Amino acid sequence: MSKFNLSAIDSYSYEPLRKQVYNVLREAILKGELMIGEKITEMEIADELSVSRTPVREAFRMLEQEELINIIPQQGVFVAGIETKKEIDDIFQLRAELEGLAAYLAAQNITEKQKEKLKEYTEELKDHIAHNDYRGCIKVDIAFHRIIKEASDNKWLEKFLDTLFEQATRFRRSSFSRQGRLQEFLQEHQELGEAIINGDPDKARESAEGHIRAAWDSIITVFEKEQR
């Protein structure tokens, strides 16, 4: 059984191997499948992806340039965490505004098929939370917010949110570690989904902004505790 459960390399791809390894690792980090602070080695990744260590080493350098991993001499390679409070604030300040706008537009434009998906993801989230499945929660959260982005029917808003969401996902595991956060997380998704499905744009915006600010506060609380 694989240790990290990474996506497989596409043996038919024309992309250089280092780029494929980079893409697999980048996705795993941004989706929270490789956790903040987790140690990874060239040998483990090479074995898991059935490649040599050279493209893994090259992929590590690319990820280090993006500040997604830290390469520490004599210690190893670690998934990068939160460096400063300002980094968190900058991401979540903008995200609260744009997620609010996306929810507002989604409540006006959502299709019946998208409504069913939101309901389905809310139920899946409930199940993952009941089993304390953090990785499952993150995957469903990504899918839930993707539906809202798509339902907003604004391609530029969707692009900006994709970038912000990727960065915010790195912090999601920290947010979950605060006592009681998972139940709040479920309730926020239920309220947000309900407002969008009911076609209430003002309530949807309010719920979305509240949801993002709650995550923001939770992450700051954990970050400051770790700093102390």
Side-chain angles (χ1 to χ4, degrees):
M1 184 177 177
S2 63
K3 178 179 177 181
F4 299 114
N5 196 29
L6 301 173
S7 301
I9 292 291
D10 181 4
S11 58
Y12 295 101
S13 174
Y14 290 105
E15 276 195 315
L17 211 45
R18 65 178 180 280
K19 186 68 187 302
Q20 291 189 65
V21 174
Y22 159 80
N23 287 338
V24 167
L25 292 175
R26 186 177 189 276
E27 181 182 29
I29 291 168
L30 292 176
K31 287 186 175 179
E33 290 163 0
L34 288 174
M35 299 295 193
I36 286 174
E38 190 162 2
K39 185 175 183 178
I40 54 179
T41 69
E42 286 179 13
M43 186 176 294
E44 286 173 331
I45 300 300
D47 286 348
E48 177 134 355
L49 297 178
S50 300
V51 298
S52 72
R53 292 171 65 173
T54 300
V56 177
R57 189 177 307 123
E58 292 169 342
F60 278 0
R61 290 197 197 103
M62 295 162 73
L63 292 165
E64 186 183 30
Q65 288 177 349
E66 276 195 74
E67 299 182 3
L68 291 176
I69 63 171
N70 294 320
I71 300 176
I72 305 173
Q74 271 70 58
Q75 292 186 43
V77 180
F78 301 87
V79 178
I82 306 165
E83 297 297 328
T84 65
K85 179 177 179 294
K86 188 177 188 305
E87 182 182 0
I88 302 168
D89 289 342
D90 287 350
I91 290 169
F92 280 86
Q93 182 179 38
L94 191 53
R95 193 172 166 224
E97 296 293 331
L98 295 186
E99 289 280 5
L101 176 58
Y104 181 89
L105 295 173
Q108 298 172 313
N109 299 317
I110 192 165
T111 65
E112 290 302 317
K113 186 176 180 181
Q114 288 169 333
K115 287 180 182 180
E116 288 304 313
K117 280 290 184 185
L118 279 186
K119 291 175 185 174
E120 180 185 317
Y121 291 142
T122 303
E123 288 304 309
E124 284 183 27
L125 190 59
K126 191 185 297 183
D127 185 57
H128 288 306
I129 288 172
H131 293 91
N132 286 318
D133 179 3
Y134 297 133
R135 280 188 166 95
C137 286
I138 289 170
K139 285 182 179 178
V140 174
D141 183 49
I142 289 168
F144 183 94
H145 283 277
R146 185 184 300 123
I147 292 293
I148 296 173
K149 285 184 296 184
E150 290 171 357
S152 75
D153 197 27
N154 183 315
K155 69 176 183 179
W156 290 105
L157 178 59
E158 196 171 336
K159 285 181 180 179
F160 290 138
L161 278 172
D162 279 342
T163 301
L164 289 170
F165 197 88
E166 280 187 341
Q167 295 303 321
T169 299
R170 290 189 295 149
F171 309 147
R172 200 68 46 79
R173 179 65 175 78
S174 298
S175 172
F176 291 160
S177 67
R178 182 174 65 74
Q179 184 71 30
R181 177 58 193 147
L182 279 178
Q183 285 306 315
E184 294 171 2
F185 187 74
L186 175 59
Q187 187 176 348
E188 289 158 17
H189 280 78
Q190 288 171 329
E191 288 178 2
L192 175 54
E194 191 176 306
I196 292 173
I197 289 166
N198 291 341
D200 187 340
D202 291 323
K203 178 64 177 173
R205 188 201 291 269
E206 181 186 337
S207 297
E209 289 180 356
H211 167 50
I212 301 305
R213 291 185 185 281
W216 183 359
D217 289 344
S218 185
I219 289 166
I220 291 294
T221 299
V222 173
F223 176 71
E224 290 179 340
K225 183 180 177 183
E226 288 175 351
Q227 293 301 298
R228 288 196 298 270

